[in-house]
């Protein structure tokens, strides 16, 4: 399964739901986006206020200025990966020129223009895809996050045996671990570990162990 294996965000428009809390990433520019329109990707880097930081599920709240800036970039990427307002250019532009997104479990790597296929693919599976961030750890240029990929299976999944599995409306809640490595305000490497067994099960696509056993 090819899966993921996420501008200055205004307080009025850019809201990421993190662990059930509504957190807005605040910009250095004040003009908001209206009617769900995406904020242009060439605007200033996002920032986080002390109040917003206080609401995040951080394991350590004593962050340096650089760590806060790195966290804001990562949260922006999650925001632009939400099914209701996907913004591919902003996600792609958050990476360095040689940046890579690794779907570690599936063994897929995305670089350059290929980064632009990640978000549309997920939305093609779960139109309302959302990432529920449960625990966030920031250590210098590394941001580690425990989360769940959630959504409704209302799209289509290509089968390795041919054909497609059509969406059935099942709710998906897949445990995931993300590790973001940043350099000079850009994402150098993003390693994503998705709980595919749980995701497939939620989608109604279980592994056929009986067929595997019968082959031997």
């Amino acid at each position: 399964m090819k899966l993921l294996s996420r501008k200055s965000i205004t307080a009025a428009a850019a809201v990421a739901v993190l662990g059930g809390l509504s957190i807005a990433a605040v910009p250095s520019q004040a003009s908001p986006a209206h009617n769900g329109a995406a904020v242009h990707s060439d605007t200033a880097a996002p920032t986080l206020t002390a109040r917003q930081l206080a609401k995040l599920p951080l394991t350590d709240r004593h962050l340096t200025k650089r760590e806060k800036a790195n966290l804001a970039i990562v949260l922006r990427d999650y925001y632009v990966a939400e099914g209701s307002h996907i913004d591919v250019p902003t996600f792609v532009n958050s990476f360095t020129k040689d940046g890579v997104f690794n779907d570690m479990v599936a063994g897929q790597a995305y670089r350059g223009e290929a980064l632009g296929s990640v978000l549309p693919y997920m939305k093609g599976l779960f139109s309302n895809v959302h990432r529920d961030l449960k625990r966030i750890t920031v250590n210098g240029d590394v941001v580690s996050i425990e989360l769940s990929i959630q959504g409704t299976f209302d799209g289509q999944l290509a089968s390795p045996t041919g054909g497609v599995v059509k969406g059935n409306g099942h709710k998906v809640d897949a445990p995931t671990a993300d590790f973001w490595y940043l350099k000079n305000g850009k994402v150098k490497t993003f390693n994503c570990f998705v709980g595919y067994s749980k995701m497939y099960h939620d989608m109604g696509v279980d592994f056929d162990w009986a067929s595997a056993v019968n082959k031997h």
Side-chain angles (χ1 to χ4, degrees):
M1 175 180 177
K2 248 175 147 183
L3 189 62
L4 259 162
S5 62
R6 204 140 298 320
K7 53 205 207 132
S8 174
I9 303 179
T10 67
V15 178
V17 180
L18 310 180
L21 300 174
S22 293
I23 310 298
V26 200
S28 57
Q29 296 183 2
S31 60
H34 299 286
N35 301 321
V39 181
H40 294 298
S41 59
D42 58 354
T43 52
T47 59
L48 293 165
T49 67
R51 181 178 180 182
Q52 292 157 356
L53 284 167
K55 295 180 180 180
L56 291 170
L58 292 164
T59 59
D60 184 357
R61 301 192 174 280
H62 299 88
L63 304 182
T64 66
K65 182 178 180 180
R66 186 181 72 182
E67 289 173 333
K68 291 176 183 178
N70 285 336
L71 177 57
I73 291 167
V74 169
L75 294 182
R76 179 184 61 186
D77 273 359
Y78 282 119
Y79 173 76
V80 301
E82 293 283 285
S84 58
H85 44 252
I86 280 178
D87 182 346
V88 172
T90 293
F91 180 77
V92 173
N93 291 338
S94 72
F95 285 76
T96 61
K97 290 184 178 180
D98 60 347
V100 58
F101 163 52
N102 294 308
D103 181 347
M104 303 299 288
V105 179
Q108 295 282 344
Y110 301 87
R111 295 180 174 85
E113 293 183 1
L115 287 167
S117 67
V118 177
L119 305 190
Y121 179 80
M122 286 300 296
K123 185 176 176 63
L125 290 176
F126 321 116
S127 63
N128 59 346
V129 62
H130 165 67
R131 292 160 184 84
D132 181 25
L133 310 189
K134 302 177 182 300
R135 187 182 297 266
I136 303 171
T137 300
V138 186
N139 184 10
D141 290 327
V142 181
V143 180
S144 307
I145 301 183
E146 175 189 350
L147 65 148
S148 290
I149 296 178
Q150 302 173 341
T152 304
F153 180 33
D154 53 6
Q156 292 188 343
L157 170 67
S159 168
T161 60
V164 297
V165 179
K166 295 183 179 180
N168 48 28
H170 288 186
K171 301 298 181 182
V172 171
D173 190 353
T176 304
D178 286 346
F179 299 89
W180 302 78
Y181 301 86
L182 294 95
K183 182 178 181 181
N184 299 326
K186 291 278 190 174
V187 179
K188 177 74 172 177
T189 303
F190 171 30
N191 292 338
C192 178
F193 296 78
V194 181
Y196 282 120
S197 294
K198 175 64 162 54
M199 177 179 283
Y200 286 140
H201 175 75
D202 290 350
M203 295 167 69
V205 184
D206 289 313
F207 295 109
D208 189 352
W209 290 98
S211 294
V213 171
N214 292 335
K215 290 179 181 178
H216 299 284

